[in-house]
Amino acid sequence: MPCMIIAGGQWGDEGKGKIVAYLALTDRPKIIARAGVGPNAGHTVNYKGRTFGLRQIPSGFVYEGARLLIGPGVLVNPEVVLKELEMTGTANRFGVDRRCAVIEPAHIEQDTKSEYLQGKIGTTGTGCGPANVARVSRTAKLAEEVPELKPFLADVPAELNEAIDHGSLVFVEGSQGFGLSLIHGTYPYVTSKDTTASTLAADVGVGPTKVDEVMLVFKAYTSRVGLGPFPTEISQEKAEELGIVEFGTVTGRRRRIGLFDFALAKRAVMINGATQLTLTNLDRMFKGAAKVRRWRDLPSDAKDYVDKIEKELGVPVTIISTGSEVEDVIDLRSEKL
């Protein structure tokens, strides 16, 4: 499988960062390219006793053999990029496409001061929406115009396609989730562009015929940051009774919690063309599942829950996350041992 896209199937916060990190360490891709909107999405990686909250650098940085790229369809905040390069120590294997549009201070100011975006939509305030408007208006600054980024400029589509053509494994790491897609999500409570697998491929310059696998990531329940429809939402009190209290990586806002939404998941599977599913946070739903790394060691009710999701969605669950650490995973890609 030379090219795999990893995308979110709900409203973001599905745990894609941890999954990309695990897959990178296990499968050892040549390249990991970040797709999606920009620094308005945070991916968390817990590895070797450290917690990394990443908004621009691919989460698979933990595998030191991978080239790390940001595709031309992604917005970049140079300050965030440089900070994360220092934090991860990955400047020697990082590249940003020269065509990436840049988030400027004026975009952030516009985002945070917009009464409509803040009050009605619940924007993250990172400037992504206004920056995308600038791009559509043909007034955006590009990465090639930022002196601090010049050492890292790359032709990301050329690198990715060359690697794929030579049979090397590449990952495309998406951000946000299906329900936040500008086209397919709960408009107007959405992000500023499409977030499905087709657009993630376009973000990094890979054509649809070169994508072999689409890994769609779901939580065992559902969560959402900010405003907007949430059909399966439960009260904060009920969530606390279940022991589920979460906060957004970028905004720090408390996440709303709900039951697994099968209708949303089925549509996400259809539109993303999912070939594999990841189920995260199973340990939150079934306490006996915490840190389990073998299918046979899961409690029977947890197994039944996974089987139900697999049957309802019609796509195999191949990865199950059972804890916060990168290694807390049941990998079913060979067989259910």
Side-chain angles (χ1 to χ4, degrees), residues 7 29 36 39 45 49 76 81 90 104 138 142 152 156 186-187 197 219 228 244 278 288 307 310 325 329 336:
V45 177
V76 295
V81 169
T90 54
E104 301 184 71
R138 282 66 159 183
L142 300 183
F152 309 109
V156 171
T186 49
Y187 187 89
K219 267 181 175 169
I244 303 175
T278 286
D307 288 339
E310 186 174 81
E325 296 297 321
V329 164
K336 290 182 178 178

PDB file of all heavy atoms in Angstrom, residues 7 29 36 39 45 49 76 81 90 104 138 142 152 156 186-187 197 219 228 244 278 288 307 310 325 329 336:
ATOM      1  N   ALA A   7      -7.782   9.870   7.788  1.00  0.00           N
ATOM      2  CA  ALA A   7      -8.746  10.963   7.896  1.00  0.00           C
ATOM      3  C   ALA A   7      -9.645  10.761   9.105  1.00  0.00           C
ATOM      4  O   ALA A   7      -9.779   9.647   9.626  1.00  0.00           O
ATOM      5  CB  ALA A   7      -9.590  11.048   6.621  1.00  0.00           C
ATOM      6  N   PRO A  29       7.028   4.566   6.968  1.00  0.00           N
ATOM      7  CA  PRO A  29       6.867   5.214   5.664  1.00  0.00           C
ATOM      8  C   PRO A  29       8.078   6.070   5.305  1.00  0.00           C
ATOM      9  O   PRO A  29       8.800   6.543   6.190  1.00  0.00           O
ATOM     10  CB  PRO A  29       5.625   6.090   5.865  1.00  0.00           C
ATOM     11  CG  PRO A  29       5.665   6.417   7.321  1.00  0.00           C
ATOM     12  CD  PRO A  29       6.179   5.177   8.004  1.00  0.00           C
ATOM     13  N   GLY A  36      -5.082  18.945   5.064  1.00  0.00           N
ATOM     14  CA  GLY A  36      -6.095  19.561   5.908  1.00  0.00           C
ATOM     15  C   GLY A  36      -6.085  21.070   5.827  1.00  0.00           C
ATOM     16  O   GLY A  36      -5.539  21.656   4.890  1.00  0.00           O
ATOM     17  N   PRO A  39      -3.295  25.297  11.038  1.00  0.00           N
ATOM     18  CA  PRO A  39      -3.007  25.169  12.475  1.00  0.00           C
ATOM     19  C   PRO A  39      -4.226  25.296  13.388  1.00  0.00           C
ATOM     20  O   PRO A  39      -4.076  25.478  14.600  1.00  0.00           O
ATOM     21  CB  PRO A  39      -2.018  26.315  12.730  1.00  0.00           C
ATOM     22  CG  PRO A  39      -2.370  27.335  11.710  1.00  0.00           C
ATOM     23  CD  PRO A  39      -2.763  26.559  10.492  1.00  0.00           C
ATOM     24  N   VAL A  45       0.341  13.658  20.568  1.00  0.00           N
ATOM     25  CA  VAL A  45       1.128  12.428  20.566  1.00  0.00           C
ATOM     26  C   VAL A  45       1.812  12.281  21.915  1.00  0.00           C
ATOM     27  O   VAL A  45       2.559  13.175  22.337  1.00  0.00           O
ATOM     28  CB  VAL A  45       2.196  12.437  19.443  1.00  0.00           C
ATOM     29  CG1 VAL A  45       3.051  11.177  19.508  1.00  0.00           C
ATOM     30  CG2 VAL A  45       1.542  12.570  18.078  1.00  0.00           C
ATOM     31  N   GLY A  49       7.191   9.307  27.398  1.00  0.00           N
ATOM     32  CA  GLY A  49       7.034  10.178  28.551  1.00  0.00           C
ATOM     33  C   GLY A  49       6.807  11.640  28.257  1.00  0.00           C
ATOM     34  O   GLY A  49       6.709  12.462  29.169  1.00  0.00           O
ATOM     35  N   VAL A  76      -0.234  27.750   6.504  1.00  0.00           N
ATOM     36  CA  VAL A  76       0.852  27.675   7.477  1.00  0.00           C
ATOM     37  C   VAL A  76       0.992  28.986   8.249  1.00  0.00           C
ATOM     38  O   VAL A  76       0.849  30.072   7.688  1.00  0.00           O
ATOM     39  CB  VAL A  76       2.212  27.317   6.830  1.00  0.00           C
ATOM     40  CG1 VAL A  76       2.173  25.920   6.242  1.00  0.00           C
ATOM     41  CG2 VAL A  76       2.611  28.333   5.776  1.00  0.00           C
ATOM     42  N   VAL A  81       5.075  26.795  12.870  1.00  0.00           N
ATOM     43  CA  VAL A  81       5.947  25.822  12.220  1.00  0.00           C
ATOM     44  C   VAL A  81       7.327  25.810  12.858  1.00  0.00           C
ATOM     45  O   VAL A  81       7.859  24.750  13.222  1.00  0.00           O
ATOM     46  CB  VAL A  81       6.065  26.124  10.708  1.00  0.00           C
ATOM     47  CG1 VAL A  81       7.167  25.279  10.079  1.00  0.00           C
ATOM     48  CG2 VAL A  81       4.737  25.857   9.999  1.00  0.00           C
ATOM     49  N   THR A  90      13.181  18.285  14.257  1.00  0.00           N
ATOM     50  CA  THR A  90      13.035  17.629  12.949  1.00  0.00           C
ATOM     51  C   THR A  90      13.364  18.533  11.766  1.00  0.00           C
ATOM     52  O   THR A  90      13.018  18.213  10.624  1.00  0.00           O
ATOM     53  CB  THR A  90      11.591  17.114  12.787  1.00  0.00           C
ATOM     54  OG1 THR A  90      10.673  18.209  13.005  1.00  0.00           O
ATOM     55  CG2 THR A  90      11.295  16.010  13.782  1.00  0.00           C
ATOM     56  N   GLU A 104      -1.379  35.377   8.349  1.00  0.00           N
ATOM     57  CA  GLU A 104      -0.740  36.587   8.845  1.00  0.00           C
ATOM     58  C   GLU A 104      -1.472  37.111  10.090  1.00  0.00           C
ATOM     59  O   GLU A 104      -2.621  36.739  10.343  1.00  0.00           O
ATOM     60  CB  GLU A 104      -0.721  37.643   7.737  1.00  0.00           C
ATOM     61  CG  GLU A 104       0.037  37.168   6.492  1.00  0.00           C
ATOM     62  CD  GLU A 104       0.133  38.249   5.431  1.00  0.00           C
ATOM     63  OE1 GLU A 104       0.893  39.221   5.672  1.00  0.00           O
ATOM     64  OE2 GLU A 104      -0.546  38.136   4.402  1.00  0.00           O
ATOM     65  N   ARG A 138      -7.065  35.801  -4.087  1.00  0.00           N
ATOM     66  CA  ARG A 138      -5.745  35.943  -4.743  1.00  0.00           C
ATOM     67  C   ARG A 138      -4.880  37.021  -4.111  1.00  0.00           C
ATOM     68  O   ARG A 138      -4.055  37.660  -4.768  1.00  0.00           O
ATOM     69  CB  ARG A 138      -5.894  36.251  -6.242  1.00  0.00           C
ATOM     70  CG  ARG A 138      -6.240  35.080  -7.136  1.00  0.00           C
ATOM     71  CD  ARG A 138      -7.589  34.517  -6.876  1.00  0.00           C
ATOM     72  NE  ARG A 138      -8.082  33.756  -8.028  1.00  0.00           N
ATOM     73  CZ  ARG A 138      -9.283  33.201  -8.085  1.00  0.00           C
ATOM     74  NH1 ARG A 138     -10.113  33.326  -7.062  1.00  0.00           N
ATOM     75  NH2 ARG A 138      -9.660  32.530  -9.142  1.00  0.00           N
ATOM     76  N   LEU A 142       2.419  33.694   0.062  1.00  0.00           N
ATOM     77  CA  LEU A 142       2.792  32.282  -0.024  1.00  0.00           C
ATOM     78  C   LEU A 142       4.063  32.009   0.775  1.00  0.00           C
ATOM     79  O   LEU A 142       4.835  32.925   1.074  1.00  0.00           O
ATOM     80  CB  LEU A 142       2.984  31.873  -1.483  1.00  0.00           C
ATOM     81  CG  LEU A 142       1.763  32.021  -2.395  1.00  0.00           C
ATOM     82  CD1 LEU A 142       2.078  31.501  -3.793  1.00  0.00           C
ATOM     83  CD2 LEU A 142       0.547  31.314  -1.816  1.00  0.00           C
ATOM     84  N   PHE A 152      13.342  25.600   4.108  1.00  0.00           N
ATOM     85  CA  PHE A 152      12.531  24.390   4.145  1.00  0.00           C
ATOM     86  C   PHE A 152      11.635  24.220   2.912  1.00  0.00           C
ATOM     87  O   PHE A 152      10.864  23.255   2.840  1.00  0.00           O
ATOM     88  CB  PHE A 152      11.644  24.402   5.400  1.00  0.00           C
ATOM     89  CG  PHE A 152      12.398  24.670   6.665  1.00  0.00           C
ATOM     90  CD1 PHE A 152      12.254  25.878   7.327  1.00  0.00           C
ATOM     91  CD2 PHE A 152      13.266  23.717   7.189  1.00  0.00           C
ATOM     92  CE1 PHE A 152      12.951  26.136   8.497  1.00  0.00           C
ATOM     93  CE2 PHE A 152      13.972  23.962   8.356  1.00  0.00           C
ATOM     94  CZ  PHE A 152      13.820  25.176   9.014  1.00  0.00           C
ATOM     95  N   VAL A 156       6.316  19.535  -2.775  1.00  0.00           N
ATOM     96  CA  VAL A 156       5.735  18.378  -2.099  1.00  0.00           C
ATOM     97  C   VAL A 156       5.071  17.399  -3.056  1.00  0.00           C
ATOM     98  O   VAL A 156       5.295  16.194  -2.960  1.00  0.00           O
ATOM     99  CB  VAL A 156       4.764  18.848  -0.978  1.00  0.00           C
ATOM    100  CG1 VAL A 156       3.984  17.671  -0.412  1.00  0.00           C
ATOM    101  CG2 VAL A 156       5.557  19.543   0.123  1.00  0.00           C
ATOM    102  N   THR A 186     -21.791  19.855   8.938  1.00  0.00           N
ATOM    103  CA  THR A 186     -22.989  20.487   9.499  1.00  0.00           C
ATOM    104  C   THR A 186     -22.920  22.007   9.309  1.00  0.00           C
ATOM    105  O   THR A 186     -22.825  22.769  10.264  1.00  0.00           O
ATOM    106  CB  THR A 186     -23.125  20.136  10.994  1.00  0.00           C
ATOM    107  OG1 THR A 186     -21.869  20.384  11.651  1.00  0.00           O
ATOM    108  CG2 THR A 186     -23.514  18.691  11.175  1.00  0.00           C
ATOM    109  N   TYR A 187     -22.974  22.410   8.049  1.00  0.00           N
ATOM    110  CA  TYR A 187     -22.896  23.824   7.678  1.00  0.00           C
ATOM    111  C   TYR A 187     -24.012  24.614   8.362  1.00  0.00           C
ATOM    112  O   TYR A 187     -25.135  24.137   8.438  1.00  0.00           O
ATOM    113  CB  TYR A 187     -23.037  23.928   6.151  1.00  0.00           C
ATOM    114  CG  TYR A 187     -22.813  25.302   5.579  1.00  0.00           C
ATOM    115  CD1 TYR A 187     -21.540  25.708   5.214  1.00  0.00           C
ATOM    116  CD2 TYR A 187     -23.872  26.187   5.413  1.00  0.00           C
ATOM    117  CE1 TYR A 187     -21.326  26.975   4.690  1.00  0.00           C
ATOM    118  CE2 TYR A 187     -23.674  27.454   4.900  1.00  0.00           C
ATOM    119  CZ  TYR A 187     -22.400  27.837   4.538  1.00  0.00           C
ATOM    120  OH  TYR A 187     -22.181  29.100   4.032  1.00  0.00           O
ATOM    121  N   ALA A 197     -11.261  12.663   2.292  1.00  0.00           N
ATOM    122  CA  ALA A 197     -10.061  12.047   1.724  1.00  0.00           C
ATOM    123  C   ALA A 197      -9.704  12.596   0.339  1.00  0.00           C
ATOM    124  O   ALA A 197      -8.528  12.755   0.014  1.00  0.00           O
ATOM    125  CB  ALA A 197     -10.239  10.531   1.661  1.00  0.00           C
ATOM    126  N   LYS A 219     -13.740   7.783  17.133  1.00  0.00           N
ATOM    127  CA  LYS A 219     -13.766   7.491  18.556  1.00  0.00           C
ATOM    128  C   LYS A 219     -14.832   6.437  18.823  1.00  0.00           C
ATOM    129  O   LYS A 219     -15.797   6.308  18.057  1.00  0.00           O
ATOM    130  CB  LYS A 219     -14.110   8.754  19.350  1.00  0.00           C
ATOM    131  CG  LYS A 219     -12.906   9.547  19.813  1.00  0.00           C
ATOM    132  CD  LYS A 219     -13.370  10.743  20.613  1.00  0.00           C
ATOM    133  CE  LYS A 219     -12.166  11.486  21.182  1.00  0.00           C
ATOM    134  NZ  LYS A 219     -12.539  12.792  21.736  1.00  0.00           N
ATOM    135  N   GLY A 228     -22.822  23.867  17.104  1.00  0.00           N
ATOM    136  CA  GLY A 228     -23.306  23.098  15.969  1.00  0.00           C
ATOM    137  C   GLY A 228     -24.118  21.888  16.368  1.00  0.00           C
ATOM    138  O   GLY A 228     -24.096  21.459  17.534  1.00  0.00           O
ATOM    139  N   ILE A 244     -15.714  10.625  31.160  1.00  0.00           N
ATOM    140  CA  ILE A 244     -15.233  11.219  29.910  1.00  0.00           C
ATOM    141  C   ILE A 244     -15.280  12.738  30.018  1.00  0.00           C
ATOM    142  O   ILE A 244     -16.342  13.357  29.903  1.00  0.00           O
ATOM    143  CB  ILE A 244     -16.071  10.745  28.706  1.00  0.00           C
ATOM    144  CG1 ILE A 244     -16.064   9.219  28.614  1.00  0.00           C
ATOM    145  CG2 ILE A 244     -15.522  11.354  27.423  1.00  0.00           C
ATOM    146  CD1 ILE A 244     -16.962   8.671  27.528  1.00  0.00           C
ATOM    147  N   THR A 278     -10.185   2.780  12.124  1.00  0.00           N
ATOM    148  CA  THR A 278      -9.543   2.784  13.436  1.00  0.00           C
ATOM    149  C   THR A 278     -10.590   3.193  14.461  1.00  0.00           C
ATOM    150  O   THR A 278     -11.376   4.114  14.217  1.00  0.00           O
ATOM    151  CB  THR A 278      -8.379   3.782  13.482  1.00  0.00           C
ATOM    152  OG1 THR A 278      -7.272   3.267  12.745  1.00  0.00           O
ATOM    153  CG2 THR A 278      -7.913   4.014  14.921  1.00  0.00           C
ATOM    154  N   GLY A 288     -12.149  -2.343  31.332  1.00  0.00           N
ATOM    155  CA  GLY A 288     -11.280  -3.517  31.224  1.00  0.00           C
ATOM    156  C   GLY A 288     -10.456  -3.543  29.967  1.00  0.00           C
ATOM    157  O   GLY A 288      -9.609  -4.425  29.786  1.00  0.00           O
ATOM    158  N   ASP A 307     -17.275  -5.362  17.016  1.00  0.00           N
ATOM    159  CA  ASP A 307     -17.905  -6.156  15.961  1.00  0.00           C
ATOM    160  C   ASP A 307     -19.168  -5.477  15.428  1.00  0.00           C
ATOM    161  O   ASP A 307     -19.453  -5.524  14.224  1.00  0.00           O
ATOM    162  CB  ASP A 307     -18.250  -7.551  16.477  1.00  0.00           C
ATOM    163  CG  ASP A 307     -17.018  -8.428  16.672  1.00  0.00           C
ATOM    164  OD1 ASP A 307     -15.976  -8.111  16.054  1.00  0.00           O
ATOM    165  OD2 ASP A 307     -17.094  -9.417  17.428  1.00  0.00           O
ATOM    166  N   GLU A 310     -18.131  -2.575  13.152  1.00  0.00           N
ATOM    167  CA  GLU A 310     -17.610  -3.134  11.910  1.00  0.00           C
ATOM    168  C   GLU A 310     -18.742  -3.621  11.008  1.00  0.00           C
ATOM    169  O   GLU A 310     -18.767  -3.359   9.797  1.00  0.00           O
ATOM    170  CB  GLU A 310     -16.644  -4.273  12.223  1.00  0.00           C
ATOM    171  CG  GLU A 310     -15.920  -4.831  11.020  1.00  0.00           C
ATOM    172  CD  GLU A 310     -14.869  -5.850  11.425  1.00  0.00           C
ATOM    173  OE1 GLU A 310     -15.236  -7.012  11.671  1.00  0.00           O
ATOM    174  OE2 GLU A 310     -13.685  -5.483  11.510  1.00  0.00           O
ATOM    175  N   GLU A 325      -0.926   6.318  25.299  1.00  0.00           N
ATOM    176  CA  GLU A 325       0.422   6.143  24.772  1.00  0.00           C
ATOM    177  C   GLU A 325       0.378   5.558  23.359  1.00  0.00           C
ATOM    178  O   GLU A 325      -0.541   4.804  23.013  1.00  0.00           O
ATOM    179  CB  GLU A 325       1.234   5.223  25.682  1.00  0.00           C
ATOM    180  CG  GLU A 325       1.464   5.773  27.078  1.00  0.00           C
ATOM    181  CD  GLU A 325       2.273   7.057  27.082  1.00  0.00           C
ATOM    182  OE1 GLU A 325       3.228   7.160  26.279  1.00  0.00           O
ATOM    183  OE2 GLU A 325       1.960   7.953  27.880  1.00  0.00           O
ATOM    184  N   VAL A 329      -2.129  -0.100  21.582  1.00  0.00           N
ATOM    185  CA  VAL A 329      -2.849  -0.381  20.338  1.00  0.00           C
ATOM    186  C   VAL A 329      -3.031  -1.877  20.154  1.00  0.00           C
ATOM    187  O   VAL A 329      -2.144  -2.675  20.472  1.00  0.00           O
ATOM    188  CB  VAL A 329      -2.074   0.188  19.125  1.00  0.00           C
ATOM    189  CG1 VAL A 329      -2.556  -0.414  17.809  1.00  0.00           C
ATOM    190  CG2 VAL A 329      -2.205   1.709  19.069  1.00  0.00           C
ATOM    191  N   LYS A 336      -7.359 -11.305  13.959  1.00  0.00           N
ATOM    192  CA  LYS A 336      -7.745 -11.123  15.353  1.00  0.00           C
ATOM    193  C   LYS A 336      -7.150 -12.254  16.177  1.00  0.00           C
ATOM    194  O   LYS A 336      -7.688 -13.363  16.194  1.00  0.00           O
ATOM    195  CB  LYS A 336      -9.265 -11.091  15.490  1.00  0.00           C
ATOM    196  CG  LYS A 336      -9.893  -9.848  14.902  1.00  0.00           C
ATOM    197  CD  LYS A 336     -11.394  -9.824  15.102  1.00  0.00           C
ATOM    198  CE  LYS A 336     -11.984  -8.533  14.544  1.00  0.00           C
ATOM    199  NZ  LYS A 336     -13.453  -8.478  14.668  1.00  0.00           N
TER     200      LYS A 336
END
